[in-house]
Amino acid sequence: MGLPKHIAIIMDGNGRWAQLKRRPRTFGHIKGTRVAKKIITACSRRGIKNLTLYAFSTENWFRPEAEVSLLMLILRRYLKRETENLVKENIRFSVIGDLSRVPLDVANAIEKSIEATSQCTGLNLVFALSYGSRQEITLAVRDIAEKVAAGEISPAEIDESVINSALSTFPTPDPDLIIRTSGEQRLSNFLLWQAAYSEFYFTEVLWPNFTESHLDEALQAFAMRQRRYGKVSSNDNNHEKLPN
């Protein structure tokens, strides 16, 4: 099947990794950021066109204040230190999610990174930050409803393409492959609409232990899949014949 055009990753297991090492959860987040940097570069150099990382969910705001503050600090430092490297690697950076809840210094760092990498033409790197898919879909429905009320579109004209264009992920294509680390097997409010025909790859590996070799294993597993999108494969000769 070749390489996926779009990989989305739920980077799970930072806290458990730290606990296994009898270190604070924050230690796991710092290590996880270093792993993310390596995987971003690895995807870029393997020719992946789009990579979405689930960096911080809307539900993560309910974590202890100290942990949330550290996560925001880590993000700001990452962007400040790595923006130049993103440009060097020809990686374009963008964000989806509710940035109104993000601290001002972090929002400013995000804006600067987006602007600095706007002309890059390689990997399209997306951070899902303060992101929740149900919230995204709700806002899309509200936007479409307002257009109907304003007479810009009729209810009969609402189709999948209209909904797609109202989502924050537009125009990035739907993920071909979604990877989740740490053994959990759920989407956790991540790209619910976009994942309709995604291939899933679950691994027991905790995110801080995730390496390029693990990435290649996921890519190899994807290459073995047959993506039918609800149809029958053209080489499937096992159809039962209907009686005359």
Side-chain angles (χ1 to χ4, degrees), residues 28-223:
H29 295 311
I30 293 171
K31 172 65 174 176
T33 302
R34 294 171 183 164
V35 171
K37 175 183 175 180
K38 293 179 181 179
I39 296 303
I40 291 167
T41 302
C43 286
S44 176
R45 295 181 178 177
R46 281 161 176 73
I48 303 299
K49 298 300 183 184
N50 301 278
L51 173 64
T52 300
L53 299 181
Y54 204 6
F56 193 90
S57 72
T58 51
E59 291 75 22
N60 287 158
W61 290 112
F62 297 106
R63 291 187 176 186
E65 184 177 348
E67 183 175 350
V68 171
S69 295
L70 179 78
L71 286 167
M72 292 295 113
L73 176 62
I74 290 173
L75 176 60
R76 180 173 62 81
R77 286 182 174 176
Y78 170 83
L79 293 173
K80 186 175 181 180
R81 293 174 180 176
E82 294 302 321
T83 296
E84 184 177 340
N85 188 56
L86 292 176
V87 174
K88 181 181 177 181
E89 294 287 339
N90 196 29
I91 297 172
R92 183 163 60 90
F93 174 74
S94 61
V95 171
I96 57 173
D98 180 12
L99 297 186
S100 68
R101 302 183 67 179
V102 172
L104 182 59
D105 59 342
V106 177
N108 288 338
I110 290 170
E111 185 178 350
K112 288 179 181 178
S113 293
I114 291 173
E115 183 178 356
T117 63
S118 61
Q119 301 303 312
C120 295
T121 57
L123 173 68
N124 174 39
L125 171 64
V126 181
F127 276 16
L129 178 65
S130 187
Y131 171 86
S133 189
R134 286 184 172 183
Q135 177 193 48
E136 176 191 34
I137 294 170
T138 299
L139 292 175
V141 171
R142 187 180 300 167
D143 179 66
I144 294 169
E146 289 175 352
K147 289 181 179 179
V148 170
E152 298 175 19
I153 186 174
S154 71
E157 292 177 298
I158 300 173
D159 57 15
E160 288 188 16
S161 66
V162 171
I163 296 172
N164 274 327
S165 64
L167 296 172
S168 62
T169 50
F170 183 81
T172 303
D174 293 342
D176 302 296
L177 173 64
I178 296 178
I179 300 171
R180 180 162 188 160
T181 58
S182 87
E184 303 293 350
Q185 298 187 20
R186 58 179 179 271
L187 279 174
S188 296
N189 201 18
F190 182 53
L191 302 179
L192 301 179
W193 172 277
Q194 298 87 340
Y197 280 101
S198 299
E199 297 294 326
F200 292 88
Y201 183 85
F202 300 110
T203 174
E204 297 288 334
V205 177
L206 301 176
W207 179 248
N209 290 330
F210 195 81
T211 65
E212 289 189 40
S213 295
H214 294 123
L215 173 65
D216 288 334
E217 288 175 9
L219 293 176
Q220 289 168 8
F222 174 82

